[in-house]
Amino acid sequence: LSARTGLSGTDELGDVGRSFDEMAERIQKLLQEERELLANVSHELRTPLARIHVALEIADEAVPEAARMSLREVNQDLTEIEGLVDDIITTTRLRIGGTADHAPPVSAMTLHLQDVAPAELCENASERFVQRHPQRAFETSASDSLPAICADPLLIRRAIDNLLENADKYSPDPGTPVVLRAEATLSQVVFEVRDMGIGISKEDLPRIFLPFFRSERSRSRACGGVGLGLTLAKRIVEAHGGSIDVTSSTTAGTVARIALPIASDH
């Protein structure tokens, strides 16, 4: 896989050589990503599976109340595994055919596209966020007059949910607000999630969209998550022809923005 032609001429043979080298580079990178994915999945599954084994052993030998508690823990671990598998499947589906440097060619048949009101997406995301985190200060702003976007509402909602969950996860003080708002430019609708949490260091910021990446301070399982949220959000957004960017500092918190094109008939 490391073989390259090394041809650099300007003739047809040079063109063929460069094309071959680019293809080999993409294949090598893709296989490396697959190996890393398998290694990370194995690591992330090992912990909840081990907890399930222990909980089942306790439930088998314990009094009824302790057994019920153990089974509740099993249910939590199974939910964690289910979420991990679901994220991997969705991420892989959006990844097929793409490369690390190019948006995946997801067709309209893969996405369930329809005209969606941004205010409705924000309202639905807000309701779920408040239900999950009732103690968190939360603000939202999205005008009903915003132009529609052509999108798969479930996937876009999931991308927004992931940004909101990250904002809550890395804002230890529940009194500091998480803000969700949507605004329109001439050609795009921009969804913004803002927090005043611990932020992301300059060293970590370029790597936050890599699968399973988590900065060292957040590797504790108490934080939850396995490092696929931003990866999945990025692939969802790029599959819609949009873009996502994150700005952050360890003193001012984090701002994540999703920009999606306005529907063509708006």
Side-chain angles (χ1 to χ4, degrees), residues 27-45:
I27 292 174
Q28 186 176 24
K29 186 178 295 185
L30 180 61
L31 293 176
Q32 177 64 29
E33 289 177 357
E34 288 182 352
R35 285 193 291 268
E36 291 174 357
L37 176 64
L38 288 173
N40 281 306
V41 169
S42 300
H43 173 75
E44 296 297 341
L45 287 176

Side-chain angles (χ1 to χ4, degrees), residues 55-73:
L56 288 176
E57 289 176 2
I58 293 174
D60 186 50
E61 301 173 359
V63 297
E65 182 57 34
R68 283 193 291 270
M69 183 174 297
S70 293
L71 291 176
R72 282 197 293 270
E73 293 174 355

Side-chain angles (χ1 to χ4, degrees), residues 122 125-126 138-141 160 164 178-182 191-193:
C122 288
S126 299
F138 180 70
E139 303 171 12
T140 184
S141 173
I160 296 173
L164 288 171
V178 169
V179 180
L180 168 64
R181 63 185 180 190
F191 298 89
E192 180 180 283
V193 174

